[in-house]
Amino acid sequence: MNYVALAVHLAYAPAHSGQGVQAFVGPYLGALVGGHRVVDDLIASPQPVEIRTRVAGGGHPYPLVDRTYYSQQLDAGVQAGLGYRAGPLLVQADYSWGLRNLTPPVVDENNNIIAPSGFPSYSRAFQASCAYLWSRNAQPTP
């Protein structure tokens, strides 16, 4: 599942200049933009059959007429991580803990909930990033 996330972090760096080791933590909000899901159907035949489905946001319609996997449109959670800054180079690694159950409820044709969500699912993600920071106050070299 592909979510675009916006995070707000509170960062701490022991050095006043922001150089060296850093730690950060904060909330994030994510919006579903699509994706796909692959599962093995072990019931259809003695051999596992791979089923590929698309991912869409919203409630799970009843009856299910297509092979679409439905997920909540919005996700929210907390991120925490560590980083290291050396001059203009910043390297970070963080982990995200989703706090919202992404399994949607079953809804009828009028979007009325007719059954609560099934097995709960939460997003969990690890990411690493590298950035080059520049200052708008930097003086051009002659």
Side-chain angles (χ1 to χ4, degrees):
M1 294 184 280
N2 299 322
Y3 282 83
V4 172
L6 175 65
V8 177
H9 291 151
L10 178 62
Y12 172 76
H16 181 67
S17 65
Q19 298 292 321
V21 176
Q22 301 175 348
F24 57 92
V25 64
Y28 77 88
L29 181 64
L32 180 68
V33 293
H36 69 274
R37 182 173 183 228
V38 177
V39 295
D40 288 334
D41 185 353
L42 302 175
I43 298 173
S45 67
Q47 297 295 324
V49 176
E50 186 175 281
I51 299 174
R52 180 178 284 268
T53 62
R54 72 182 188 93
V55 175
H60 196 291
Y62 181 83
L64 185 60
V65 294
D66 61 5
R67 290 188 172 204
T68 301
Y69 178 79
Y70 291 90
S71 181
Q72 295 288 3
Q73 192 69 36
L74 295 176
D75 183 24
V78 177
Q79 288 182 330
L82 296 172
Y84 188 82
R85 182 174 175 191
L89 187 63
L90 175 63
V91 178
Q92 293 182 327
D94 68 69
Y95 191 76
S96 300
W97 293 271
L99 301 176
R100 185 160 193 249
N101 180 4
L102 297 179
T103 305
V106 178
V107 297
D108 64 13
E109 63 277 354
N110 297 320
N111 251 1
N112 297 316
I113 296 175
I114 57 175
S117 60
F119 295 106
S121 62
Y122 298 89
S123 65
R124 303 286 189 260
F126 172 79
Q127 78 178 26
S129 62
C130 183
Y132 183 85
L133 308 172
W134 65 90
S135 172
R136 62 184 174 144
N137 297 329
Q139 300 295 323
T141 57

